[in-house]
Amino acid sequence: MTSSSPAPSPKPPAPAPVWRGFVRGSLGAGVAVGARAAGALILNKLFAVYAPAGGLTLFAQFQNLMALLTTLPSEGVQVGLVKYLAPLQPGSARYRLWLGAAAALNAAALLLGGAVLASRGLLDWGWGSMGVFMTGIALLTAQGLLGAALLAAGRLRAYIGLSVMLAVLSTGAAALALLQKLPLHVVLLAYLLAQGLTVLPALGLAARAGLLRHLRPAGPISRVALRRLSQFLLMAVSTLLFGKAVDYVLRDYLLGTYGPARTDLWQAVAKLSDNYTMVFAAVMSSVFYPRLAALAGQPRASRNYLRGVLGLLAPVLAVGLGLIFACRNWLLPLLFAPQLLGARDFLAPQLLGDWAKFLSWIFIFQLTVRARTGRYVAVQAGSAMVFAGLLAVLLPRFGLEGAVLAHAGRYGLLLLACVAYQVGMKNDK
């Protein structure tokens, strides 16, 4: 009696394409992104219609000032916190140490920002309004810390709900204040405080997820955690100095040189860019960055994931931005106001620069994941220096349009440098 040969083992299923997981995660975050984008569009329209001349630019400058004070916590401490909390059990001793270190660094950044704000007089307000402003910034920073903990724990649904709530409350508060024709600084403070008050539901969501177990206000601060999170803080410092601060100074210069009404044309294009940039950044930070961080110990898989996402996004972004340009004649009056239709003259170089910027971000995320602080700072500083040089050449020659031409040149050169660096890394292996 002959024994039958064993049945061949079934082949393992082929791995899913890289783009499929990225798209699935992006759709999961779409609700939060959509709410934030809708809120921004509504506010832009209201400020363009109901605020005084130049109100849109002043709103953007206020948001820029908020970013100056929240960049170190949000783009530094919180980014590192997601990386280090992700593999830990909530409530464990190590988990509490990382969370405590992050809270301490956030508090230090807030104190530093408040001191600079008071000494430099960036807000031409009284001490009472400045106190309200800093209270709102502190609440917003605390909410961001809790949101990072939720994201690290994989509580994407709770994180999305929190983002939707922030968008709805801030938009509603600013819209109500604008429609009641309150002073502009009251409108801006209402916008900020509404965002800060989302710390209350954030506390509830974090507690429900078990992320606050065994926490003590006077717990020990880990020097190791402080040192490692400080690497991300240094990267955020470069973003602050060579990104947010440059934008603030540029807008201030344009206001002083061309006046509020004329600068609103440039600001309309920049605001439109901010809206879809916010969508892109939210998807990349909630989907692409966590996945890339998880693959940090697998260089080949990490490179394949990056290339797959790059191959997907390059044509998709080109088509999307091209559609915006094709619809410019009715889109700008619809989103802002009829008197801002002249902003269409600035749209093409802005869109080209944004396409290059988004693709370069995909490469730069590698430096963040690997905590390559020196290289990250060098990239940010070099990019800012190129931008400053282009502005110095193009603004006197082309006027207000020189700002968007410099934007396109800056990120076009940055993308070329990123591609050359990636090719060089491949050839070295």
Side-chain angles (χ1 to χ4, degrees), residues 132-143:
V132 174
F133 177 80
M134 286 307 303
T135 299
I137 292 293
L139 293 174
L140 186 57
T141 300
Q143 185 263 9

Side-chain angles (χ1 to χ4, degrees), residues 7 14 46 60 109 113 123 134 149 166 175 177 204 231-232 246 252 275 292 333 335 338 348 353 361 372 396 401 412:
L46 290 172
L123 280 174
M134 286 307 303
L166 185 146
Q231 292 181 301
F232 293 86
V246 170
D252 191 58
N275 289 336
L292 196 65
L335 296 181
W361 280 2
R372 301 289 176 84
E401 189 179 4

Side-chain angles (χ1 to χ4, degrees), residues 310-334:
L310 184 67
L312 169 70
L313 289 182
V316 169
L317 288 171
V319 171
L321 295 173
L323 286 174
I324 291 175
F325 181 75
C327 300
R328 63 193 181 281
N329 288 332
W330 63 265
L331 191 62
L332 287 168
L334 174 67

Side-chain angles (χ1 to χ4, degrees), residues 271-283:
K271 267 293 182 186
L272 179 63
S273 170
D274 289 344
N275 289 336
Y276 54 72
T277 297
M278 175 181 60
V279 174
F280 181 80
V283 170

Side-chain angles (χ1 to χ4, degrees), residues 367-384:
L367 303 179
T368 307
V369 166
R370 299 173 186 174
R372 301 289 176 84
T373 306
R375 294 180 184 179
Y376 185 92
V377 172
V379 168
Q380 296 292 333
S383 175

Side-chain angles (χ1 to χ4, degrees), residues 153-166:
R155 303 281 179 163
L156 189 58
R157 183 174 298 179
Y159 181 81
I160 289 171
L162 192 60
S163 299
V164 171
M165 197 174 305
L166 185 146

Side-chain angles (χ1 to χ4, degrees), residues 21-30 151 156 280-293 305 309:
F22 178 80
V23 171
R24 188 182 298 117
S26 301
L27 292 176
L151 192 60
L156 189 58
F280 181 80
V283 170
M284 297 302 284
S285 62
S286 61
V287 179
F288 178 73
Y289 173 71
R291 178 60 179 162
L292 196 65
Y305 181 64
V309 171

